[in-house]
Amino acid sequence: MSISSSSTVLTAAEQNAMPAKYERQPNVLRKKLSSVVPGSVNLQVLGAGANGSPSAVYLFTDQSRYLFNCGEGTQRLAHEHKTRLSRLEQIFVTRNTWKTVGGLPGLALTIQDAGVRNVGLHGPPHLDTMLQSMRRFVVLKHLQMQTIDATEGNHFEDSIMSVESLVLRSEQQPEQPVISYICALKPRPGALNLVKCVEQGVTPGPLLGQLKNGHDVVLPCGKVVHSVDVTEPGETALSFVFIDVPSEDYLQSLQAQAQEYKKLAATQLTEVAVVVHFTPATLTAHPDYRRFMEQNFSQCTQHIYLNSPKNPFSGYAAAHRIQYQLHQLEPNIFPLLAESDELQRSCPSSMLSHSLKKTKLNEQENLETNHETEPKQMDGMVMKTETEAEQGVTSMASFHLRPKKGLDRTLEAKLTPLEYVKETHAVPGFTELLAQLHNEAQLQRPDTAVGSYPRIIFLGTGSCIPNKTRNVSSILIQTAAEAFMLLDCGEGTHGQIVRLYGRERAEQIMRQLHAVYISHLHADHHIGLIGLLHERQRLMPAAPLLLLAPRQIEPWLQFYNRQIEPIADAYTLVGNGEMLDQPLADERVQQQLGIASIATCLVRHCPHAYGISLTLHAQHEGEPVKLTYSGDTMPCADLVQLGRNSTVLIHEATMEDDLEEEARIKTHSTVSQAIQQGRDMQAKHTILTHFSQRYAKCPRLPSSEDMQHVAIAFDNMQVTVDDLKHYHRLYPALLAMYAEYTEELEQRAVKRELKQERKRKLAQT
């Protein structure tokens, strides 16, 4: 007979209850569970590297969380899939490049707000100096990030696992080491055998818990009872490995470490359950790389390939959901994301479901995604052959290490377009209003697929941090058939372009992107810049990017170029302040972009925050088109003067109207203030953007009369000036579609007003 001591193993109910109870008290939870052997240990794929998504893996147990690599977009995927970051303790990165650390600035701000106070950051050298260089735009008041140089032989170990770092070096780039990680779970002790305890003279009480934990005890009579004598055999220790080989230059170094991996395969005390490959797909197909895997890991080892072309879906399902819904209103303004079409053509059926019924993927459905081989089954584990291993996974695939169940794809992110559309038609009155919209005189304008410029494409319309439906600030302006410019470049901007346009068209746009404007140095407005520069470098365009930004961005870019990766040749910097008195009107903007002049003004937000006005060669109704963009600002007289008689004003509208005081404190604008700015500068059309993330779908809007010449922006929305004349026709159906959501916003506003009224009465008495 065997028992499990309640002092060391929590019940399932206790484990489930603890996260909510201690969500804001991570240190209390850590202390309470420090001696508890985790009953659940899972690897979860946050991002699989597809279509602009990062490659990131989250390891979570009953009490601790660990993140492996943190590329751009990691925090957005974590938010969308409800991955709790508030108990994150350690981050391990394989390279000190933007591909693996580009999500750290946003992630750090997010976990700081969630209550995390200390995080270990393991990886190559210069992580500490990179964090220090970010301090200008990533203010960490309460979060301490301790960097650990994994090349110095540092061995991480806690109560849950140990992590050994193996360093790969290239002869061509010895100063850029890459880290692979061998992780070993602490084995779970065997169950306590009560009969043997009685035979040894152990009485009920705390001694049982000590024996269960693997500690020998001394009885009152002086007799020593050894734990191994009264417990069943413990589980085999499980190991798992993260490997990253960036290029062929590192293969020789990998081969030199073969002995370390052979040790894992040779010992009878441990089993290598899974190898996670951060290695690019071009390298995983290399004969030497394949041979290394065959020789150093057994057939029982599972392989998870990130960055594989067979990982077809980015994992950002919520963006597709809202786009399918908005697409019903006006397909040209709200086009479906090209990623959806690519999935339709090439992905496994499990990634794009047209069924209205949600079903779990069973093993057979998983196998149907590969027609070349049939893997064998053994004790619930999928024994992958070489070909099937390369099938790849997508976001939210899990590998269960404890209990040992292997690969689980039931929760993988997938698209269900018919469900998204059906949701809207279940809303009372929406179907009728949609039919009325379609029966009215349709938007009388040229087809947005050709002809009319400028075209304004919103890539990110949220403020501060991304959520699942609104990414952070970025607006793509197509000034001519083969000319593009970006207004701000928040985290994940390049990924938004890839998912909206598809990979082939996205590469064309990157080559035709001639300028990027950064309004100010808050992280949500420029963190996507380095990833964008790397992509343009890869495509080798004819000329460097024209970067219009505050001069204060220079130290950050120079540090990155000097210590991390070369980017100096990818851009030419022109300070925003240099255009205050003298608008920019040289051949770079006139010939490449079709812009007659670019002017700026200081706005009321933070130091070195600017608004911008573009006067284009393109004309509308006989006059040059003038676009003005506010960046982040309170109502600002200088911006009104800069944008006088604009064709289109794009203005931030962070807060709803009854939060005017909060907007003032945070130096932002309310919806009505932004609309008034447009009236004051006599702009023909105003587009509202940069909404607080509390308005994930649709903000509270003023009366319909106020919205006659006003449009609200959504991610992946594209408009021309002609579209804006008719945008107000969309509002009845749009507001009906999100009636439940907007009603909830109204109820919150009423509660705020009642609370303020009570405060006023108390103040009077």
Side-chain angles (χ1 to χ4, degrees):
M1 177 172 100
S2 64
I3 62 171
S4 294
S5 169
S6 61
S7 65
T8 59
V9 180
L10 299 180
T11 66
E14 288 172 329
Q15 293 170 5
N16 291 333
M18 275 191 170
K21 181 178 180 181
Y22 292 102
E23 191 70 29
R24 291 284 176 176
Q25 305 176 59
N27 292 329
V28 177
L29 177 64
R30 188 180 300 117
K31 183 177 180 181
K32 185 175 181 67
L33 295 179
S34 60
S35 62
V36 176
V37 178
S40 174
V41 182
N42 295 305
L43 283 171
Q44 185 179 77
V45 176
L46 265 183
N51 291 335
S53 69
S55 298
V57 176
Y58 204 47
L59 172 67
F60 62 94
T61 73
D62 300 332
Q63 58 262 51
S64 300
R65 306 287 192 268
Y66 312 82
L67 180 65
F68 290 83
N69 279 348
C70 186
E72 268 189 79
T74 298
Q75 64 163 329
R76 187 181 183 194
L77 282 169
H79 181 277
E80 169 155 0
H81 297 296
K82 297 181 174 60
T83 301
R84 289 181 176 172
L85 297 173
S86 60
R87 284 188 281 148
L88 181 62
E89 294 185 9
Q90 307 292 335
I91 301 173
F92 298 86
V93 297
T94 57
R95 300 181 233 167
N96 195 357
T97 64
W98 199 252
K99 187 177 180 64
T100 56
V101 302
L104 275 179
L107 183 84
L109 293 170
T110 297
I111 62 177
Q112 177 177 249
D113 290 344
V116 178
R117 294 295 171 259
N118 295 281
V119 169
L121 178 59
H122 308 253
H126 304 305
L127 287 173
D128 54 344
T129 50
M130 184 185 69
L131 289 176
Q132 190 61 36
S133 185
M134 288 179 180
R135 296 287 180 178
R136 184 182 295 270
F137 50 87
V138 179
V139 181
L140 302 180
K141 295 179 180 178
H142 310 295
L143 175 66
Q144 295 294 323
M145 298 192 81
Q146 179 187 4
T147 56
I148 300 97
D149 187 346
T151 64
E152 295 182 349
N154 291 301
H155 180 82
F156 172 79
E157 186 168 355
D158 62 9
S159 60
I160 295 169
M161 68 173 181
S162 63
V163 181
E164 180 184 356
S165 304
L166 297 182
V167 183
L168 299 181
R169 295 189 185 272
S170 158
E171 290 184 0
Q172 285 73 19
Q173 297 174 307
E175 74 286 353
Q176 294 185 359
V178 177
I179 313 298
S180 293
Y181 296 101
I182 297 177
C183 309
L185 288 180
K186 298 292 180 65
R188 200 175 189 186
L192 199 62
N193 190 306
L194 189 57
V195 173
K196 292 182 179 179
C197 289
V198 172
E199 290 174 352
Q200 294 285 346
V202 183
T203 57
L207 293 181
L208 290 175
Q210 295 179 42
L211 289 167
K212 172 62 181 174
N213 276 339
H215 303 300
D216 299 338
V217 301
V218 180
L219 301 181
C221 64
K223 179 182 179 181
V224 177
V225 179
H226 299 282
S227 174
V228 294
D229 295 333
V230 294
T231 56
E232 304 296 340
E235 70 177 6
T236 301
L238 286 182
S239 296
F240 48 101
V241 178
F242 295 89
I243 292 181
D244 189 357
V245 183
S247 67
E248 291 186 23
D249 298 338
Y250 290 86
L251 282 174
Q252 184 176 350
S253 181
L254 179 69
Q255 297 286 357
Q257 295 176 351
Q259 198 61 35
E260 297 295 327
Y261 294 102
K262 285 179 179 176
K263 288 180 188 176
L264 287 173
T267 178
Q268 299 298 312
L269 301 178
T270 186
E271 174 188 330
V272 183
V274 62
V275 178
V276 179
H277 300 262
F278 286 113
T279 302
T282 52
L283 259 293
T284 59
H286 194 283
D288 291 345
Y289 191 88
R290 287 178 176 271
R291 194 176 304 113
F292 182 89
M293 296 305 144
E294 293 169 0
Q295 292 174 351
N296 294 286
F297 296 102
S298 74
Q299 292 185 349
C300 294
T301 299
Q302 190 102 12
H303 291 263
I304 294 178
Y305 289 82
L306 307 179
N307 305 308
S308 168
K310 297 184 180 180
N311 299 344
F313 182 36
S314 65
Y316 297 103
H320 288 272
R321 178 185 183 185
I322 194 169
Q323 202 69 11
Y324 270 103
Q325 294 172 347
L326 292 170
H327 183 75
Q328 301 172 86
L329 305 180
E330 224 306 326
N332 290 313
I333 293 178
F334 304 109
L336 296 181
L337 308 192
E339 180 182 49
S340 178
D341 292 334
E342 291 176 351
L343 289 172
Q344 184 88 41
R345 293 193 302 268
S346 62
C347 77
S349 60
S350 59
M351 293 301 106
L352 183 63
S353 171
H354 289 284
S355 170
L356 293 181
K357 182 181 179 182
K358 291 183 178 179
T359 59
K360 289 188 175 182
L361 300 176
N362 56 34
E363 290 291 335
Q364 185 57 40
E365 288 173 325
N366 287 335
L367 301 184
E368 287 174 358
T369 62
N370 186 307
H371 304 288
E372 299 177 78
T373 61
E374 291 193 8
K376 303 172 184 178
Q377 302 285 332
M378 182 180 294
D379 297 329
M381 295 283 288
V382 182
M383 308 293 291
K384 285 191 179 276
T385 62
E386 181 179 82
T387 306
E388 205 250 337
E390 295 175 353
Q391 175 183 314
V393 294
T394 59
S395 185
M396 295 307 290
S398 295
F399 192 93
H400 300 285
L401 293 160
R402 183 184 293 153
K404 185 180 170 184
K405 297 180 180 178
L407 188 64
D408 179 6
R409 307 187 69 165
T410 57
L411 297 179
E412 271 190 321
K414 58 182 179 292
L415 300 184
T416 54
L418 294 183
E419 278 192 12
Y420 307 150
V421 173
K422 187 179 179 182
E423 285 175 8
T424 62
H425 288 274
V427 176
F430 171 74
T431 303
E432 292 76 14
L433 286 169
L434 183 63
Q436 181 181 333
L437 173 65
H438 290 169
N439 289 333
E440 288 176 356
Q442 296 297 311
L443 302 183
Q444 300 299 316
R445 51 171 176 67
D447 186 349
T448 57
V450 293
S452 185
Y453 300 105
R455 185 168 299 137
I456 307 168
I457 303 101
F458 289 87
L459 303 174
T461 57
S463 68
C464 191
I465 61 173
N467 70 15
K468 61 184 182 180
T469 53
R470 291 190 185 273
N471 202 47
V472 286
S473 296
S474 185
I475 305 165
L476 185 65
I477 309 294
Q478 185 174 12
T479 55
E482 298 181 353
F484 293 84
M485 176 179 182
L486 268 175
L487 304 179
D488 279 329
C489 190
E491 180 178 348
T493 291
H494 174 249
Q496 292 285 89
I497 293 173
V498 172
R499 292 185 289 276
L500 175 59
Y501 288 102
R503 282 163 287 191
E504 185 175 336
R505 176 59 178 146
E507 289 190 355
Q508 292 177 347
I509 291 173
M510 283 295 100
R511 291 188 178 95
Q512 296 165 359
L513 180 67
H514 298 301
V516 173
Y517 163 77
I518 304 297
S519 62
H520 62 290
L521 296 187
H522 283 165
D524 57 319
H525 289 258
H526 75 88
I527 283 296
L529 177 61
I530 288 180
L532 194 93
L533 291 175
H534 278 307
E535 179 61 15
R536 286 191 90 250
Q537 277 185 315
R538 184 184 71 83
L539 297 171
M540 296 183 293
L545 191 74
L546 178 63
L547 177 59
L548 312 175
R551 278 282 175 188
Q552 289 72 22
I553 201 173
E554 270 190 301
W556 161 242
L557 296 177
Q558 289 172 353
F559 160 79
Y560 193 89
N561 175 73
R562 183 175 63 253
Q563 295 283 14
I564 311 298
E565 297 173 287
I567 57 170
D569 295 337
Y571 67 91
T572 301
L573 178 62
V574 174
N576 286 346
E578 297 165 27
M579 296 179 283
L580 288 172
D581 299 322
Q582 183 63 46
L584 184 65
D586 62 21
E587 63 180 18
R588 291 173 296 181
V589 298
Q590 296 239 17
Q591 296 179 9
Q592 293 181 342
L593 281 165
I595 296 177
S597 67
I598 301 176
T600 60
C601 73
L602 288 165
V603 294
R604 302 171 63 197
H605 184 56
C606 64
H608 317 295
Y610 295 84
I612 189 172
S613 181
L614 314 175
T615 302
L616 279 66
H617 291 316
Q619 295 199 345
H620 185 262
E621 297 180 350
E623 295 181 356
V625 173
K626 182 177 181 180
L627 300 179
T628 299
Y629 171 52
S630 68
D632 285 5
T633 183
M634 305 167 65
C636 177
D638 287 347
L639 181 69
V640 170
Q641 185 59 37
L642 178 74
R644 184 74 63 190
N645 298 318
S646 288
T647 314
V648 180
L649 166 65
I650 304 171
H651 201 289
E652 71 119 291
T654 308
M655 305 288 185
E656 54 192 292
D657 290 346
D658 68 326
L659 295 176
E660 184 174 336
E661 179 61 18
E662 183 177 342
R664 184 189 65 79
I665 292 170
K666 295 182 177 180
T667 60
H668 284 296
S669 297
T670 67
V671 169
S672 289
Q673 286 174 339
I675 294 172
Q676 188 60 47
Q677 287 278 98
R679 291 197 189 108
D680 291 346
M681 70 173 64
Q682 298 178 313
K684 292 182 180 177
H685 304 283
T686 299
I687 307 177
L688 306 181
T689 187
H690 196 270
F691 299 108
S692 166
Q693 298 296 12
R694 69 186 77 181
Y695 317 120
K697 293 182 180 177
C698 186
R700 289 178 67 220
L701 300 175
S703 65
S704 57
E705 292 79 11
D706 294 328
M707 301 297 293
Q708 192 73 15
H709 301 287
V710 179
I712 57 173
F714 292 87
D715 281 21
N716 304 304
M717 172 178 119
Q718 61 176 15
V719 291
T720 63
V721 177
D722 287 322
D723 295 331
L724 293 173
K725 295 185 207 174
H726 308 283
Y727 191 99
H728 64 280
R729 295 181 182 176
L730 306 179
Y731 283 124
L734 174 65
L735 295 175
M737 184 163 64
Y738 296 125
E740 183 177 349
Y741 180 80
T742 53
E743 177 61 28
E744 183 180 335
L745 293 179
E746 292 290 345
Q747 291 173 2
R748 290 182 196 170
V750 170
K751 289 179 181 177
R752 283 198 301 268
E753 179 57 33
L754 291 173
K755 187 175 180 180
Q756 290 299 322
E757 183 63 28
R758 286 195 295 270
K759 286 184 178 179
R760 285 192 290 267
K761 288 181 178 179
L762 286 172
Q764 291 171 0
T765 58

